[in-house]
Amino acid sequence: MPEIPRWVVRDTDARRAGRTVAGWFFLALAVTVTQVNGGWPALAQQQPAASSAMSETVLAWGGNGQGELGNGTTTDSSVPVEAELPANTTITAIAAGNGHSLALTSDGAVLAWGENLSGELGDGTNTNRNTPVEVNLPPNTTITAIAAGHNHSLALTSDGAVLAWGYNFFGQLGDGTTTNRNTPVNVNLPTGTTITSIAAGAVHSLAITTAGTALAWGGNYSGQLGDGTTDNRNTPVEVDLPTGTTITSIAAGGVHSLAATSTGTAFAWGSNTYGELGDGTNTDRNTPVAVNLPPNTTVTAITASAIHSLAMTSTGTALAWGYNYYGQLGDGTTTNRNTPVNVNLPTGTTITTIAAGGGHSLAMTSTGTALAWGYNYYGQLGDGTTNHRNTPVNVNLPTGTAIATITAGNDHGMALIEPPSSTTTLEVAPRNPEPDQDVTLTATVTCTTDAPTGTITFRNGSSDLHTVPLDGTNAAAHTTRLPAGTHTLTAHYTSTNTCPSGQSEATTITIDTPTSPSPSPAEPGDPGDPGGLPITGPSLPTTVGTAALLLLIGTALIHLARRRRPTHHPR
């Protein structure tokens, strides 16, 4: 770097030094002004609420000979109909069996409807029901999960125990007997065992423990219990999984079983007549074998029907294998498969839930729609026809309906409806108003089920500012003036249709009090005097103009201070 020249300075040094200091001061002040006033305060916006798993509506479709649709009739339906739930009931989970259905309520009770020949409704009778009745749970019992088999039912309690009721010829209730039960009994779990998940097949039952192991009980004539034998069991035995395997989900089919592991693989055991184990053979297995998944596939969920199997992958696709006479594998053919094939989903579809029925398959998409394929004699595909389908078709859900989950029985399907939700957002403009400047508040409402109608009430703290009806763009606006100080602004939506009322998140803005010009000892108009340039507020034109002038003053002073003066020599 070149050396800075040293100038010969006499009696002007002090004045030049003063100009230099003043020049740099104005440059620094210009930068400070723009930095302090240049940032815009962010306005908080409403974020969509987390999706609720609760609903007051259950839809059902397909076979209804035993009342399993729960709509008060025994008439089949090829489109979804609403189950007649008790008033003020909120449902969190559903399950479907051969001819009966189950629902879990938000208070931990269980409802049941449909066939009850073997006591599978658990209401203390053997009478079929075409509307829901309450299961007679033991006192002080809270249920967290449910499963429906061919003619038996299971429930997981909040303390990790399992209850069972219904048909028990093969010991599938796990209570140490083969006696049918029309009210719940305790499954005889091994001492110290806590269950986290349950599944019910045609005549056998499965459970996952907190240790990631699997238990099984009931019919075992094809090895579906996976314990290395074909002996029926009326109390739980451990599935003979490979050492080091941790099970994350489990499924029970007609006479076979599936499990997904913590590493994204899948195991299968039991009957394999149609390739439902997916291991590339048609040989029955009484201990688990690995499903031959496509390379680089990670399985996140599995489900089993009477004689076919489904898996959901980490990329939201679906795999299928086993019996395919009615197109239930969804690959566009009716050819049985003993290794997994891809379901021909519509382009751009992401699957979030899968379910396998007797001869049909169901799936829920990321947008809350439902797909169905396979056997459709009873309308169990829900597409308004009774035509079998070998690729997925849309279930005819009511307009504006989104589903939260889906399940499949032997000849029917069920879906839990996502409750309607609305989101209200608030925008404030300008974002940094001055005292008594016009401020425009704009609220916009979105709704999952309907075009929102109603009014918006704008509030400042607890005080109402104005109420405005929503316009055709689902928005409402109001212009007001606000004094100096801090203001907490909200928009409150009052609905006049099915969209829920709601409010925006609060938006807080602070309006500064104007500052008076600082007194200046210098003469007005002095080019070196900053006193005539007060900054009175965060107005952008004022800020930019002030900063520019300060820059000019600072630069001029530095230039004057550094200008070369001739050296004086005595004559």
Side-chain angles (χ1 to χ4, degrees):
M1 180 176 179
E3 181 179 339
I4 298 175
R6 297 178 181 273
W7 300 100
V8 179
V9 180
R10 299 295 188 201
D11 59 315
T12 59
D13 282 355
R15 282 181 293 172
R16 290 165 59 200
R19 288 172 179 166
T20 300
V21 171
W24 284 112
F25 169 77
F26 283 113
L27 289 177
L29 183 60
V31 173
T32 302
V33 168
T34 55
Q35 287 181 339
V36 168
N37 294 301
W40 305 113
L43 296 183
Q45 299 295 332
Q46 171 83 6
Q47 296 299 321
S51 175
S52 172
M54 298 184 180
S55 176
E56 296 180 354
T57 306
V58 173
L59 296 179
W61 58 94
N64 196 30
Q66 312 301 321
E68 56 263 50
L69 301 190
N71 67 337
T73 77
T74 54
T75 303
D76 299 345
S77 179
S78 63
V79 294
V81 295
E82 190 171 331
E84 295 182 3
L85 299 174
N88 303 315
T89 300
T90 301
I91 302 300
T92 61
I94 49 177
N98 174 48
H100 74 293
S101 304
L102 302 175
L104 176 63
T105 74
S106 58
D107 59 3
V110 180
L111 301 176
W113 59 96
E115 185 176 7
N116 199 25
L117 181 65
S118 301
E120 53 262 56
L121 302 190
D123 67 341
T125 77
N126 292 79
T127 303
N128 293 353
R129 310 284 186 173
N130 58 22
T131 58
V133 294
E134 190 163 348
V135 175
N136 288 348
L137 298 171
N140 303 314
T141 299
T142 300
I143 300 302
T144 59
I146 50 175
H150 193 78
N151 293 108
H152 75 290
S153 305
L154 301 176
L156 177 64
T157 73
S158 57
D159 58 2
V162 179
L163 300 176
W165 59 97
Y167 191 57
N168 198 28
F169 182 83
F170 295 94
Q172 56 263 52
L173 302 190
D175 67 341
T177 77
T178 54
T179 303
N180 296 348
R181 309 285 187 174
N182 60 19
T183 57
V185 294
N186 284 296
V187 175
N188 290 347
L189 299 171
T191 302
T193 299
T194 301
I195 300 302
T196 61
S197 184
I198 52 175
V203 293
H204 73 294
S205 304
L206 301 172
I208 302 175
T209 74
T210 51
T213 60
L215 300 178
W217 60 97
N220 196 29
Y221 42 85
S222 293
Q224 60 262 47
L225 301 189
D227 67 342
T229 77
T230 53
D231 300 329
N232 298 338
R233 308 285 188 174
N234 59 22
T235 56
V237 294
E238 190 165 343
V239 177
D240 190 11
L241 294 165
T243 303
T245 300
T246 299
I247 298 302
T248 57
S249 64
I250 204 161
V255 284
H256 74 291
S257 304
L258 301 174
T261 76
S262 58
T263 60
T265 60
F267 286 95
W269 58 98
S271 176
N272 199 24
T273 303
Y274 300 99
E276 54 263 52
L277 302 190
D279 67 340
T281 78
N282 292 78
T283 303
D284 294 352
R285 310 285 186 173
N286 59 21
T287 57
V289 293
V291 176
N292 287 351
L293 299 171
N296 303 315
T297 297
T298 300
V299 168
T300 57
I302 38 88
T303 183
S305 82
I307 44 182
H308 79 284
S309 305
L310 298 174
M312 186 171 69
T313 75
S314 58
T315 59
T317 61
L319 300 174
W321 58 98
Y323 191 61
N324 197 29
Y325 183 82
Y326 296 103
Q328 54 260 59
L329 302 191
D331 67 341
T333 78
T334 53
T335 304
N336 299 344
R337 309 286 186 175
N338 60 19
T339 57
V341 293
N342 282 297
V343 176
N344 288 350
L345 299 171
T347 302
T349 300
T350 300
I351 297 300
T352 58
T353 305
I354 51 173
H360 70 293
S361 304
L362 302 175
M364 182 178 82
T365 75
S366 58
T367 59
T369 61
L371 299 175
W373 59 98
Y375 188 57
N376 197 28
Y377 182 81
Y378 297 99
Q380 55 262 59
L381 301 190
D383 68 340
T385 78
T386 54
N387 301 325
H388 309 319
R389 308 285 187 174
N390 59 20
T391 56
V393 294
N394 283 300
V395 176
N396 285 354
L397 299 172
T399 301
T401 296
I403 63 172
T405 192
I406 199 165
T407 192
N410 191 54
D411 290 317
H412 70 296
M414 296 171 61
L416 185 61
I417 297 305
E418 188 77 35
S421 63
S422 68
T423 301
T424 304
T425 59
L426 174 63
E427 294 182 0
V428 179
R431 297 191 175 192
N432 58 328
E434 295 181 356
D436 296 319
Q437 180 182 357
D438 282 349
V439 176
T440 300
L441 311 178
T442 304
T444 303
V445 180
T446 58
C447 183
T448 59
T449 58
D450 204 351
T453 60
T455 60
I456 293 290
T457 298
F458 296 100
R459 291 181 185 170
N460 183 5
S462 59
S463 301
D464 289 357
L465 296 175
H466 198 60
T467 298
V468 183
L470 285 174
D471 63 19
T473 63
N474 306 329
H478 172 60
T479 299
T480 186
R481 292 187 176 187
L482 301 171
T486 298
H487 303 274
T488 302
L489 304 171
T490 51
H492 298 252
Y493 169 52
T494 301
S495 175
T496 55
N497 64 6
T498 60
C499 293
S501 299
Q503 72 175 69
S504 70
E505 288 189 354
T507 294
T508 300
I509 61 172
T510 299
I511 302 176
D512 294 332
T513 302
T515 58
S516 299
S518 301
S520 172
E523 290 295 326
D526 185 341
D529 171 33
L533 297 172
I535 297 176
T536 59
S539 167
L540 182 59
T542 301
T543 298
V544 173
T546 300
L549 189 53
L550 289 171
L551 285 169
L552 288 173
I553 294 170
T555 302
L557 288 172
I558 292 171
H559 175 73
L560 288 173
R562 299 188 62 174
R563 187 175 62 184
R564 179 188 293 270
R565 286 180 177 269
T567 303
H568 297 277
H569 298 282
R571 295 185 178 181

